[in-house]
Amino acid sequence: MADIVQQRLEDRIPALEQLERVGLFTNKEVKSMLKRSTALEYKLHRTVQSKDDFITYIQVCIDKKQFNIFLSGTKIRIGYHFKREEIENPIIHRINHVFRRATTKWQEDVQLWLSQVAFNKKWGTKSQLSKVLSSMLAIHPDKPALWIMAAKCEMEDRNSSESARHLFLRALRFHLENKKVFQEYFRMELMHAEKLRKQQQELEQAKIDVGEYNFSTEILSGKLAEVVYRDAAQKIKGAEFILSLLQIAAIFDFTKELQDTILQDLQSQYVDDCMMWDFMAKRELDAAGAPELQSAKGRASDTDRREERCCVVYEEALKSLNTEAMWICYVTFCLERYKRKTNVTQLKEKRKERLLRVLQSTHDAKLLQETFYKNWLQVLLSSGDTVSATQVAITATQRFSQSVEMWSFSLQTLVHLESTEAGHLFQEALKHVNPKVESLPLWQLQADWSMTSQIPEDTETFFQKGLLSPVPAVSSAMKEKYLEWSYKTGGYKRARKTFTRYTSNKAVLYGGETPKMSNLRDYYERALREFGYSDEDLWMEYIKEELGSHGNPENCGKLHWRAVKTLEGESVEHFTTKYTLLQTGHM
């Protein structure tokens, strides 16, 4: 190992001497670099090698190179650039050598490969970049993203469309039906054609005679991209994929014929795909119409006509494709147009009418999704149509009787509208949703409604039912609401009576047979925040609970100190007397 390390260090000496001769480093700095490199080299040749040691060595070398380039730049600015390549190339070569050693040992580490690629891209070592990419793909041919990245490097960094094309063709051998590979291959061919078109245009403008060299008309028009499209369309089916290729083609201004070809295939092969119809409908928004209109009303009228033509396409689609997915596309389009801002009242009303009509039609077809019922209710409420909103809210709960979100939203709507149906639907909701998992929001919503809308007797009955719920989360929440309602309706005396009833009935307070002191403490703390400044008995009850079998006697001292600080007037004296009697066993 020592011989190998010594040989590597000796190989570095000429480059280091060169750095010293040209004045980029001092003799002391060169010795320091050599000393650190020696330590790192020995680490790399240990029996048990660490990936971190390789990464550290690479980082040290990269930092040195950046420092050298910085100093070289300084020398160049003052007119000195002697032997710059002789200085840089050994450093680049050494870094790539360490990378190769690392990637050979840890071939599965993709990030290590990508780091070497990034390094060579940054410092412009094009030939080395191709070698690294080739080695990486030989180890990781199963990763489409790496093939795409390699092809882009060839196209953008090495300006080699032939190499990029070759890589894409190799990638397709491993990934015959990968959408992303086909999409990027298609894009690359169009970019290549665009680059050639620009070159031809520049030559023509400069009036340069290119001799026998002629640009192929087929390549310039994107025929190679069309070949890629044909191959992709045969291997991968689905309107969504074909549309993605169409969108890529639309970026380039010379692809009208290619776009027309893709559109014809789309319409002839995918009549049963809602995405095709959705695309064709939305194209009507961009169709050529009337010349530029000056007035806002004129532009709004033209927009309304375009949107109506979109709806005609959707209606035509539904004649042969009456599916939930197709209705979703239609409703989503109308909802998106409704949400668009406009200052023209007529257009706003037209959009609302169109949306409500489509929502009703989708509902009649029993294909309206849950989320759209919420949108429907919001539109009706904003329009002030309370009758329709009430009916839709009730209908939505019947359609999605297992959905607690739908019940909650519909019940909130009915409560807001002060509908007489609310009470009945609250009872129905609790019958349908899972009581242990999803019922808590409905209990809380009904509690708020009952406290403000029902007579006290009915509210009392509701709370008593909630307190006895077998679901701990429900009974606990109802206890808090019950105490809150008691205070609001009967003041301090009624709230204290309610709380006392809790403390005298441990099963109710604890919410089951097994006591939970944390819950009890929470109730006491809430009560103390309301009445602790004047009620010494409340403090004493709290202390007694801590002295009980489920409490912590160590907390009694803290409670005594807090009580003395909080109580006012004669309550302090009364509390002190009771606490003393309790401590001496006379209470």
Side-chain angles (χ1 to χ4, degrees):
M1 181 180 74
D3 293 341
I4 297 175
V5 172
Q6 190 62 33
Q7 181 62 48
R8 293 190 187 282
L9 293 173
E10 289 178 2
D11 292 341
R12 293 192 58 189
I13 290 175
L16 293 173
E17 290 177 345
Q18 183 73 338
L19 289 171
E20 184 180 355
R21 279 197 299 271
V22 300
L24 291 178
F25 285 97
T26 64
N27 181 263
K28 184 178 180 180
E29 289 171 334
V30 169
K31 288 182 178 179
S32 176
M33 290 168 58
L34 192 59
K35 182 178 180 180
R36 189 174 185 186
S37 297
T38 301
L40 290 169
E41 283 286 356
Y42 272 107
K43 283 186 176 182
L44 298 190
H45 287 82
R46 290 184 299 191
T47 303
V48 180
Q49 295 177 323
S50 169
K51 190 194 311 182
D52 291 338
D53 291 336
F54 279 86
I55 294 173
T56 301
Y57 194 7
I58 291 168
Q59 189 59 54
V60 168
C61 292
I62 289 176
D63 289 344
K64 290 176 182 176
K65 179 181 182 341
Q66 291 172 340
F67 185 53
N68 295 342
I69 296 300
F70 170 74
L71 291 178
S72 297
T74 303
K75 297 295 184 182
I76 289 172
R77 285 196 294 274
I78 61 175
Y80 178 85
H81 55 274
F82 182 63
K83 294 187 176 181
R84 178 173 179 175
E85 290 185 358
E86 292 183 25
I87 295 170
E88 291 182 4
N89 288 343
I91 300 173
I92 296 173
H93 176 75
R94 183 168 64 256
I95 292 172
N96 272 312
H97 177 68
V98 177
F99 264 123
R100 280 197 299 274
R101 290 166 65 187
T103 53
T104 299
K105 186 170 182 59
W106 293 281
Q107 295 181 348
E108 73 287 349
D109 191 334
V110 175
Q111 189 57 50
L112 201 57
W113 287 101
L114 294 178
S115 297
Q116 188 176 8
V117 170
F119 168 76
N120 284 284
K121 286 182 67 176
K122 182 174 182 179
W123 301 111
T125 54
K126 296 182 179 179
S127 59
Q128 186 63 37
L129 177 62
S130 289
K131 293 178 182 178
V132 174
L133 291 171
S134 179
S135 299
M136 178 182 67
L137 293 174
I139 301 298
H140 297 283
D142 59 325
K143 297 177 175 60
L146 297 184
W147 287 100
I148 294 171
M149 184 204 68
K152 285 186 175 181
C153 287
E154 294 292 344
M155 183 72 177
E156 299 170 3
D157 298 300
R158 300 194 67 241
N159 198 27
S160 175
S161 58
E162 282 296 325
S163 297
R165 184 178 298 112
H166 179 64
L167 283 172
F168 274 121
L169 290 172
R170 286 178 59 199
L172 289 172
R173 296 175 190 171
F174 294 95
H175 309 282
L176 296 175
E177 298 181 358
N178 187 278
K179 295 179 181 180
K180 191 64 177 177
V181 172
F182 269 116
Q183 289 166 347
E184 295 305 321
Y185 185 13
F186 184 65
R187 190 195 308 273
M188 186 277 294
E189 291 292 4
L190 290 173
M191 291 173 64
H192 175 57
E194 184 180 49
K195 183 179 70 172
L196 293 180
R197 291 172 69 89
K198 287 182 178 179
Q199 289 177 356
Q200 183 186 47
Q201 185 179 8
E202 290 171 358
L203 291 173
E204 290 175 352
Q205 289 177 348
K207 297 181 180 180
I208 296 176
D209 184 10
V210 295
E212 297 180 356
Y213 179 79
N214 292 314
F215 290 93
S216 170
T217 303
E218 291 187 344
I219 294 178
L220 292 175
S221 62
K223 289 297 181 182
L224 286 177
E226 184 175 346
V227 171
V228 176
Y229 159 72
R230 294 293 185 192
D231 187 27
Q234 288 179 359
K235 290 185 171 67
I236 303 176
K237 301 299 180 181
E240 181 180 10
F241 175 66
I242 303 301
L243 283 170
S244 70
L245 298 181
L246 180 59
Q247 290 168 353
I248 293 172
I251 298 173
F252 302 88
D253 56 8
F254 60 89
T255 60
K256 186 180 183 306
E257 291 184 7
L258 177 58
Q259 290 182 58
D260 290 340
T261 299
I262 298 175
L263 272 174
Q264 290 173 7
D265 293 344
L266 188 68
Q267 290 177 282
S268 62
Q269 299 176 22
Y270 296 100
V271 291
D272 58 347
D273 194 315
C274 64
M275 294 197 70
M276 184 278 289
W277 287 104
D278 189 47
F279 174 78
M280 296 305 297
K282 290 177 180 177
R283 285 187 78 229
E284 296 296 328
L285 290 174
D286 303 323
E292 187 68 25
L293 300 168
Q294 299 299 323
S295 68
K297 287 187 177 181
R299 292 193 298 271
S301 178
D302 182 60
T303 299
D304 180 56
R305 285 194 295 270
R306 292 169 186 265
E307 291 176 359
E308 195 59 44
R309 288 200 297 269
C310 294
C311 291
V312 170
V313 177
Y314 281 116
E315 295 290 347
E316 182 66 26
L318 288 166
K319 292 179 181 178
S320 58
L321 195 64
N322 188 20
T323 64
E324 183 181 44
M326 191 68 250
W327 279 108
I328 288 174
C329 292
Y330 194 3
V331 175
T332 301
F333 168 77
C334 293
L335 186 61
E336 189 274 332
R337 301 307 296 181
Y338 169 76
K339 290 180 178 179
R340 293 178 71 89
K341 294 182 178 179
T342 177
N343 294 323
V344 180
T345 305
Q346 293 88 337
L347 179 59
K348 188 182 299 185
E349 287 298 316
K350 281 287 189 67
R351 286 172 171 171
K352 184 183 73 175
E353 292 173 5
R354 189 180 295 125
L355 173 60
L356 291 175
R357 184 184 74 242
V358 175
L359 286 167
Q360 184 64 56
S361 298
T362 313
H363 165 73
D364 293 341
K366 297 181 180 181
L367 295 172
L368 186 61
Q369 285 192 323
E370 178 180 341
T371 183
F372 290 133
Y373 277 97
K374 298 176 183 178
N375 297 129
W376 195 357
L377 284 170
Q378 289 168 346
V379 175
L380 292 172
L381 290 173
S382 65
S383 303
D385 190 350
T386 59
V387 175
S388 297
T390 300
Q391 185 58 45
V392 170
I394 296 172
T395 303
T397 59
Q398 296 171 350
R399 176 80 194 279
F400 299 96
S401 60
Q402 305 298 316
S403 171
V404 67
E405 290 82 7
M406 194 71 258
W407 278 108
S408 295
F409 192 81
S410 295
L411 287 168
Q412 287 172 12
T413 301
L414 295 174
V415 169
H416 173 72
L417 297 175
E418 299 181 353
S419 172
T420 56
E421 297 289 336
H424 169 68
L425 285 180
F426 272 119
Q427 302 304 318
E428 288 296 314
L430 294 175
K431 292 179 182 178
H432 288 87
V433 301
N434 189 322
K436 293 184 178 180
V437 181
E438 300 176 321
S439 63
L440 179 58
L442 299 179
W443 278 99
Q444 292 173 323
L445 183 60
Q446 186 174 357
D448 293 334
W449 168 77
S450 184
M451 287 190 294
T452 56
S453 303
Q454 286 193 300
I455 60 176
E457 290 78 8
D458 291 342
T459 303
E460 179 74 29
T461 302
F462 165 76
F463 277 125
Q464 292 302 324
K465 179 181 178 182
L467 294 174
L468 297 175
S469 171
V471 183
V474 172
S475 60
S476 177
M478 290 304 100
K479 290 163 194 169
E480 295 179 15
K481 290 285 187 182
Y482 189 22
L483 188 60
E484 175 188 343
W485 177 71
S486 298
Y487 179 70
K488 288 182 178 179
T489 57
Y492 162 74
K493 291 184 178 180
R494 181 168 183 175
R496 183 182 176 188
K497 181 179 179 182
T498 301
F499 188 81
T500 303
R501 189 191 313 167
Y502 285 168
T503 57
S504 64
N505 188 347
K506 298 298 189 296
V508 174
L509 178 62
Y510 291 121
E513 295 180 359
T514 303
K516 292 184 180 179
M517 192 61 195
S518 59
N519 290 348
L520 186 57
R521 287 193 185 102
D522 183 57
Y523 292 129
Y524 272 114
E525 291 295 339
R526 290 170 181 269
L528 288 175
R529 285 196 289 270
E530 293 287 342
F531 319 114
Y533 63 91
S534 61
D535 192 338
E536 67 273 11
D537 291 335
L538 188 58
W539 288 100
M540 288 305 302
E541 290 291 338
Y542 195 176
I543 290 172
K544 288 178 182 179
E545 289 292 345
E546 291 291 2
L547 290 172
S549 59
H550 302 293
N552 182 3
E554 294 179 0
N555 292 335
C556 295
K558 297 177 182 178
L559 290 173
H560 173 266
W561 183 84
R562 287 174 57 195
V564 172
K565 292 290 184 180
T566 305
L567 290 168
E568 300 174 354
E570 295 181 356
S571 297
V572 179
E573 184 178 347
H574 294 161
F575 169 76
T576 303
T577 301
K578 293 177 181 179
Y579 184 74
T580 303
L581 291 172
L582 180 65
Q583 291 292 93
T584 57
H586 292 87
M587 182 177 177

